[in-house]
Amino acid sequence: QVQLVESGGGLVQAGGSLRLSCVASGNIFSINTMGWYRQAPGKLRELVATITTGGTTNYGETVKGRFGVSRDNAKNTLYLQMNSLKPEDTAVYYCNARVPLPGGNYVPYWGQGTQVTVSS
């Protein structure tokens, strides 16, 4: 089992910045890729960014060039630096961790989410 706890959300004006954190606990040595997803009201959950244990990153098209994902494996912590925020970035942001299984599948774990609201 893996537990994920996010923090750092809040209210910010358009053009501002926020940094989200996600602390992992439990069976952390089994975690491979970690990432951030978000869900706005009435919309599907979408990819924000992922990062592997080796540091390879992947970003959703709408956040490329504005957001940066990083992880500190020694602190079991995942970060999301969000710059040049836009009102359309308003959503609940969820931390995600993947635990690989034999055969190529994986088990996803999710945090409880943290609200990010960007005012215009």
Side-chain angles (χ1 to χ4, degrees):
Q1 291 289 330
V2 173
Q3 294 78 43
L4 304 170
V5 178
E6 302 102 332
S7 61
L11 174 64
V12 64
Q13 288 188 332
S17 299
L18 279 176
R19 189 175 84 152
L20 305 183
S21 299
C22 171
V23 178
S25 61
N27 192 15
I28 58 173
F29 297 105
S30 60
I31 295 174
N32 185 352
T33 299
M34 296 187 73
W36 294 95
Y37 292 75
R38 68 186 182 185
Q39 188 166 18
K43 294 188 177 181
L44 297 176
R45 191 171 295 189
E46 65 174 359
L47 167 72
V48 177
T50 61
I51 183 169
T52 67
T53 50
T56 300
T57 57
N58 180 48
Y59 293 92
E61 287 298 323
T62 58
V63 305
K64 282 183 179 178
R66 300 188 297 123
F67 290 11
V69 62
S70 61
R71 64 194 286 179
D72 185 334
N73 292 323
K75 295 183 178 180
N76 308 320
T77 302
L78 177 72
Y79 302 100
L80 183 68
Q81 179 66 43
M82 304 186 293
N83 300 323
S84 302
L85 282 161
K86 304 175 182 180
E88 49 264 43
D89 293 318
T90 295
V92 178
Y93 284 69
Y94 295 92
C95 179
N96 171 269
R98 298 179 189 176
V99 174
L101 298 173
N105 288 326
Y106 60 87
V107 177
Y109 292 91
W110 295 95
Q112 81 287 353
T114 185
Q115 177 71 46
V116 172
T117 302
V118 184
S119 63
S120 56

